[in-house]
Amino acid sequence: MNHMARPLRIEYEGAVYHIISRGNRGEHIFAEDQDKEYFIETLQNAAEKYKIDLYAFCIMGNHYHLLLTAPQGELAKAMHYIGSAYGSFLRRQKGWIGHVFAGRYKSLCVEKEGYLLELSRYIHLNPVMAGLAEKPEGYKWSSYGYYTGKKEEPEWLNTDWLLAEYGKDRKAAWKKYREFVEAGVEKPSEYPKEDIIGQAILGSKEFTKKVIKRIKSGRKTDEITAKRRYEGRIDPEEIRDTICRYYRVKEIRNIDITEERRGRLMFIFLSKKETSAFNREIAEMTGGISPSGVTHQYKRILKRLREDRRFVKEWERESKSIMSMIKGRPQ
């Protein structure tokens, strides 16, 4: 695979993912217990709404880990929901401005056999390795307690795969899993980095071949969208958040306030010009506008740029400033 700046998004029914998402600029987005509690509620909602099989989670101060399957291929929607629901919560509760999470989440497509257990251990030991707890059960904000019988398992978490690994007896399985994880406290196991292919797939050579073959053969429209996006240089989310910072507004949905209206038009203009986003996506992010309305607004801006010299000067200055803020971002 040729090396690109961003790892390929792999989506197919039943794929297992290890997902990591970090706070923007490494900031502590889960500073307090109530933040973590709200995030767990958001996870539950996402799991129920998008029929996600969530195997394990751990919420740290400035990032979180998930291990999950999206049986109906709704991973992107679920992740978008989690990001925007939690982002709205921080903006409401703490007056947070701009992007909460640092760009795109990292997702590794994982081979279940031979890797799921190891990754769940890695995730559950995260707080121990970070010095937040001496033992994994001493940390409240992970799924570990459900795997050792200390907490009653909620419906939205799937610990059943444990039984497949450790036999039919639930109590014996809890005990074996606990021993397996605690062995990692004494002798920490490294993340199996050497088995990662193209920053996107974690598994055996056979598994990797199968996944790549699937990508090549299963060219559904969604995957072409993902490919277009992947080859696109900039995310519309990043443009939106930079515009909010630039015009000092919290959102671009309200058209009564001059700055927000300006930001909204700038968002449509730059998304059309700089990203491979579809009108439908731009419309959803702007709110109160149809996909054809996006084209209409874009054409109006282009017409004004041809006819109004004073407008051109200001518009170019602003759009260049916004783009330089984005392009000057740390990669």
Side-chain angles (χ1 to χ4, degrees):
M1 291 171 87
N2 51 341
H3 180 75
M4 293 195 194
R6 281 182 171 151
L8 186 55
R9 285 265 183 264
I10 295 167
E11 279 220 31
Y12 61 84
E13 279 177 34
V16 179
Y17 304 95
H18 175 203
I19 286 168
I20 305 170
S21 190
R22 297 187 179 281
N24 208 6
R25 298 182 298 278
E27 286 187 46
H28 273 61
I29 46 174
F30 304 111
E32 296 165 59
D33 287 1
Q34 63 167 32
D35 304 341
K36 296 187 187 84
E37 263 159 27
Y38 186 85
F39 188 75
I40 288 175
E41 275 173 41
T42 306
L43 278 186
Q44 178 181 349
N45 293 341
E48 288 166 355
K49 197 174 157 112
Y50 297 103
K51 313 280 186 284
I52 295 293
D53 260 349
L54 184 61
Y55 298 122
F57 66 85
C58 183
I59 304 159
M60 302 290 281
N62 63 357
H63 69 285
Y64 67 83
H65 293 264
L66 307 176
L67 199 56
L68 56 81
T69 302
Q72 300 187 2
E74 299 275 40
L75 176 71
K77 283 184 186 165
M79 292 306 298
H80 183 261
Y81 169 81
I82 289 168
S84 59
Y86 190 69
S88 300
F89 164 78
L90 280 195
R91 288 183 198 101
R92 275 196 321 270
Q93 295 290 319
K94 307 196 172 178
W96 195 285
I97 292 176
H99 226 1
V100 170
F101 294 103
R104 295 146 71 92
Y105 56 92
K106 274 168 134 174
S107 69
L108 269 183
C109 178
V110 177
E111 183 172 11
K112 206 169 177 176
E113 288 70 35
Y115 286 92
L116 198 57
L117 260 179
E118 194 59 61
L119 288 187
S120 76
R121 167 158 80 176
Y122 173 84
I123 288 169
H124 287 146
L125 285 178
N126 229 257
V128 179
M129 297 307 138
L132 298 177
E134 275 184 37
K135 286 196 162 182
E137 66 262 29
Y139 191 72
K140 198 174 158 188
W141 309 106
S142 83
S143 45
Y144 185 68
Y146 304 117
Y147 279 94
T148 55
K150 289 278 177 279
K151 291 184 194 171
E152 198 179 329
E153 181 186 333
E155 287 203 350
W156 50 273
L157 188 75
N158 177 355
T159 64
D160 286 346
W161 61 275
L162 240 193
L163 293 181
E165 295 284 343
Y166 286 130
K168 290 274 183 284
D169 179 347
R170 178 69 65 143
K171 276 188 174 163
W174 286 338
K175 188 170 178 286
K176 283 175 185 161
Y177 183 74
R178 187 184 186 136
E179 285 165 2
F180 168 71
V181 174
E182 288 190 352
V185 176
E186 303 305 317
K187 194 167 154 284
S189 55
E190 285 295 304
Y191 197 91
K193 288 193 180 80
E194 65 282 355
D195 295 350
I196 298 174
I197 308 294
Q199 296 178 269
I201 307 165
L202 173 60
S204 63
K205 287 194 172 71
E206 292 71 34
F207 174 74
T208 305
K209 272 183 198 154
K210 255 199 293 203
V211 172
I212 290 171
K213 202 169 158 189
R214 266 188 116 135
I215 297 171
K216 284 179 178 164
S217 64
R219 271 299 193 68
K220 300 195 298 296
T221 48
D222 280 1
E223 288 179 7
I224 292 167
T225 307
K227 189 159 171 43
R228 263 190 64 177
R229 248 228 199 110
Y230 174 51
E231 288 162 356
R233 295 153 293 173
I234 290 164
D235 278 342
E237 283 89 355
E238 197 162 11
I239 289 178
R240 177 197 61 198
D241 294 315
T242 309
I243 283 172
C244 287
R245 280 214 308 278
Y246 183 82
Y247 292 109
R248 294 196 169 87
V249 294
K250 286 196 176 179
E251 53 180 332
I252 51 169
R253 287 173 169 267
N254 187 343
I255 49 175
D256 300 331
I257 301 166
T258 317
E259 286 80 5
E260 290 185 7
R261 192 183 307 128
R262 181 82 166 182
R264 182 184 173 139
L265 289 174
M266 184 61 82
F267 171 72
I268 291 169
F269 174 73
L270 289 177
S271 295
K272 292 290 287 174
K273 194 165 158 273
E274 300 283 348
T275 79
S276 51
F278 292 104
N279 283 350
R280 179 175 44 79
E281 298 168 86
I282 298 170
E284 271 173 23
M285 288 174 71
T286 354
I289 187 171
S290 67
S292 59
V294 170
T295 307
H296 178 65
Q297 295 276 17
Y298 183 57
K299 283 181 175 164
R300 276 181 64 182
I301 299 165
L302 292 178
K303 186 171 183 285
R304 229 182 134 184
L305 285 170
R306 285 195 301 271
E307 293 167 3
D308 182 343
R309 285 178 64 185
R310 214 179 105 214
F311 176 73
V312 171
K313 246 182 160 169
E314 278 177 26
W315 191 261
E316 279 192 346
R317 180 178 58 78
E318 287 173 27
S319 61
K320 275 183 182 155
S321 299
I322 290 161
M323 288 314 296
S324 70
M325 279 166 83
I326 292 171
K327 289 184 171 159
R329 71 195 188 277
Q331 287 299 322

